[in-house]
Amino acid sequence: MRKSNIVIAFFVGLTMLSGCSALNNMVKLAATQQVDVVPSPLELHGDSVKFDMSVVLPAKMLPQNYVYNLTTYYKSGESEVEVGKMVFDAADFPDSKTTTSRQSDTYSFLYDPAASQGSLEVQGVAVDKNAKTKEAARVEVAKGIITTSQLVEDEFYSAYAFHGYNDQEELVPTKVDFFFDQGSSLLKSSETRSEKGKEFAAFIADKNVTKTVTITGTHSPEGTETINSGLSEARAKSIESYYRKQMRRYDYKDMADSINFILKPVVEDWTAFKDALSAYEGVSDAQKSEILKVVNGTGVFEDKEKALQKLDSYKAIFKDIYPGLRAAKTEVLTVKEKKTNAEIAVLAKQIAEGTASADTLSSAELMFAATLTPSLTEREAIFKASTKKDGSWQSHNNLGAVYLEMAIAAEGDERTSKVEMAITQLEIAANKNNAAEVLANMATAYALQGDKAQAYDAVVAGLEKGPSADHAAGMNAVKGSLEIKRGEYDAAFESLKTANESTSVAFNRGLALLLNKDFENAVTGFGNASEQDAEFAKAYYASAIASARLRNDADMLASLKTAIEKDPELKEKALNDLEFTNYASQVAEALQ
């Protein structure tokens, strides 16, 4: 019995020694494992650092029933985060005695700004069938994180809703029709003394600033009218004569010379007749079809009139339609009276201060007044008055837009406060009409709060509303900037192509190309930005990065030097930027 126990103990010990030997051998061979990381250095895109890792274990490293766990960490200073684990189970690699064992995977981890200066490390652990383990040496496989994507320029856009006021010259049409007896161009006193005639005379007496008087002379189709080819023109001239007589009566003087009289004699034209017939109820639909068949058929004007006379419906149309065609149709275009912009500005200020009634200006005039001052404080006061006057979504939206502009120019607690004030107004506006302008402003508000997800959703929703071209261009600038932050570089470039042209938009287009590995076009994009603003140091710096990736040493160093001349603070960044890892000594020497 005792001898048997000794034998068992011997074999157990032998097995343990064998297991320890296998673990030791695995750890020893782990020193020759091959780990490739792409990209290296790591790169930040969106909110995460994503990379591909492939591992090759040497032959004989995976004995039967053994497992090799390779855990990946990102370590920065005293802190580290476990990124992922790759498991090599001998059962999955039956030929591991004679061939290498290969495996690859994609990993990612959330970016921590405090941990950009770190390293990616792998820790191998050999495990036997009894769960006994032995650790291999921890190995660095990639250095630090490239954060070029964070060079993106923030874009904010304040979208003002249209105030509804037109401060340009507007022409107002005044129309009156005078009718004549059959075959006559004499303007009857019954026409000029009628209610419409008196109103027209009073209109002329008011001496409105008049641009044009267009008089269209017409005739009915019957022979006594059409036989006189000059009848339409004579009727038009008759009205012109009457109009000029009235101007002399009311002492227009030099004003009359600035009025352009346009006479349009209409001869042998069925348009007015067909329009009148369409609205006429004195004949049946079948009779109308019969009449139109004649009018739209072949033959000259007089032939068609003779054909109409043979129809049963002719007496009705002669009695009810023809008299209305013996006319001179007059349209007078006068200049709409408006307050001057200076008057509007003064009155708006008085309304805002409470020294004038809100009814002194229309809602459109009041909101328009805000466009006449560059002062955000004065705009705020005007839009506050506007919200009290009519409470429209436009006034609340525009007050919110003012607060956003104030927030963009502010920092810290003041920025936070102004954004909150803007959101309050925008929520009121949205409850009335969740228009494109409101959504555009909400996007900017969220972006100022650092909420990229809500900002993106808002600007996308706003663009789906079909905003004006100007608003769409501003919104696409915001959208493109956010898409770069999301790591969506193709989409960002497309958005920025239709954005308002500016230094920051040109730069962001170049950055989207750079991050999408289109380095040559990126250099061109950054060049466009620096052409718009020769002092924009970041454009030269980013161009240096693109040149470095193209392995263009000379352009890289030249752009980097220019960037640091424009902004000396970029020197330290360049010396530590992993974009220039392959040129560390050259950069250090050039920037001394």
Side-chain angles (χ1 to χ4, degrees), residues 381-397:
I382 291 171
F383 284 128
K384 275 185 176 180
S386 182
T387 61
K388 293 174 183 176
K389 177 177 173 65
D390 62 13
S392 66
W393 74 265
Q394 293 95 330
S395 59
H396 284 286
N397 174 80

Side-chain angles (χ1 to χ4, degrees), residues 114-322:
S116 60
Q117 299 298 317
S119 61
L120 193 70
E121 299 177 352
V122 293
Q123 172 78 66
V125 178
V127 186
D128 68 11
K129 60 184 177 181
N130 297 313
K132 188 174 181 180
T133 64
K134 189 171 184 65
E135 292 184 349
R138 199 170 206 185
V139 180
E140 179 183 291
V141 292
K143 187 75 174 177
I145 302 172
I146 286 176
T147 59
T148 299
S149 60
Q150 291 193 319
L151 291 176
V152 60
E153 284 284 290
D154 288 327
E155 286 287 346
F156 305 117
Y157 178 68
S158 296
Y160 288 91
F162 180 52
H163 42 71
Y165 181 72
N166 181 2
D167 68 328
Q168 302 301 307
E169 181 179 272
E170 289 185 87
L171 299 178
V172 180
T174 298
K175 298 181 179 180
V176 63
D177 295 344
F178 289 106
F179 297 96
F180 297 82
D181 288 337
Q182 184 178 7
S184 172
S185 62
L186 176 66
L187 181 60
K188 299 177 293 183
S189 60
S190 59
E191 286 290 292
T192 58
R193 292 175 183 174
S194 66
E195 192 63 32
K196 68 180 177 185
K198 291 177 181 179
E199 290 177 0
F200 191 53
F203 170 80
I204 299 173
D206 283 341
K207 294 185 179 180
N208 297 282
V209 179
T210 303
K211 291 291 186 179
T212 62
V213 178
T214 302
I215 306 168
T216 305
T218 64
H219 63 78
S220 58
E222 75 268 22
T224 53
E225 291 268 304
T226 58
I227 197 170
N228 185 353
S229 61
L231 186 58
S232 295
E233 183 176 4
R235 286 171 174 170
K237 287 182 176 179
S238 179
I239 300 302
E240 179 188 8
S241 176
Y242 168 73
Y243 200 112
R244 291 186 181 279
K245 181 179 179 181
Q246 294 297 101
M247 286 195 296
R248 288 192 296 271
R249 178 181 177 184
Y250 296 114
D251 196 22
Y252 268 60
K253 295 184 178 178
D254 294 339
M255 289 176 61
D257 295 334
S258 64
I259 299 175
N260 181 24
F261 280 85
I262 302 171
L263 303 186
K264 293 183 176 180
V266 176
V267 179
E268 299 185 354
D269 189 332
W270 291 98
T271 303
F273 173 79
K274 288 193 285 186
D275 290 342
L277 179 66
S278 176
Y280 182 50
E281 297 180 355
V283 296
S284 67
D285 289 342
Q287 288 174 316
K288 285 185 181 182
S289 297
E290 189 178 38
I291 293 168
L292 289 174
K293 185 177 181 181
V294 172
V295 170
N296 294 327
T298 58
V300 298
F301 199 90
E302 290 83 356
D303 291 340
K304 292 179 181 181
E305 159 60 15
K306 290 177 181 178
L308 289 176
Q309 292 177 18
K310 298 176 182 179
L311 301 178
D312 293 338
S313 57
Y314 182 73
K315 287 184 179 180
I317 61 176
F318 181 85
K319 173 178 174 290
D320 297 330
I321 293 180
Y322 279 16

Side-chain angles (χ1 to χ4, degrees), residues 355-383:
T355 59
S357 168
D359 293 333
T360 307
L361 294 176
S362 68
S363 293
E365 288 172 326
L366 184 56
M367 285 208 295
F368 168 70
T371 69
L372 302 176
T373 173
S375 169
L376 293 179
T377 303
E378 291 179 6
R379 286 189 204 173
E380 176 192 12
I382 291 171
F383 284 128

Side-chain angles (χ1 to χ4, degrees), residues 414-481:
E414 185 183 356
R415 168 174 281 194
T416 300
S417 174
K418 294 300 182 185
V419 172
E420 290 173 351
M421 292 168 71
I423 289 175
T424 298
Q425 295 301 319
L426 295 172
E427 287 176 343
I428 296 172
N431 286 332
K432 296 173 181 289
N433 181 10
N434 199 24
E437 294 90 336
V438 179
L439 287 163
N441 288 326
M442 289 299 285
T444 291
Y446 290 136
L448 286 165
Q449 290 180 328
D451 191 337
K452 298 189 290 290
Q454 283 207 83
Y456 181 76
D457 289 344
V459 75
V460 168
L463 286 166
E464 288 175 350
K465 296 276 188 177
S468 67
D470 287 343
H471 285 322
M475 293 163 74
N476 272 314
V478 175
K479 182 170 177 275
S481 173

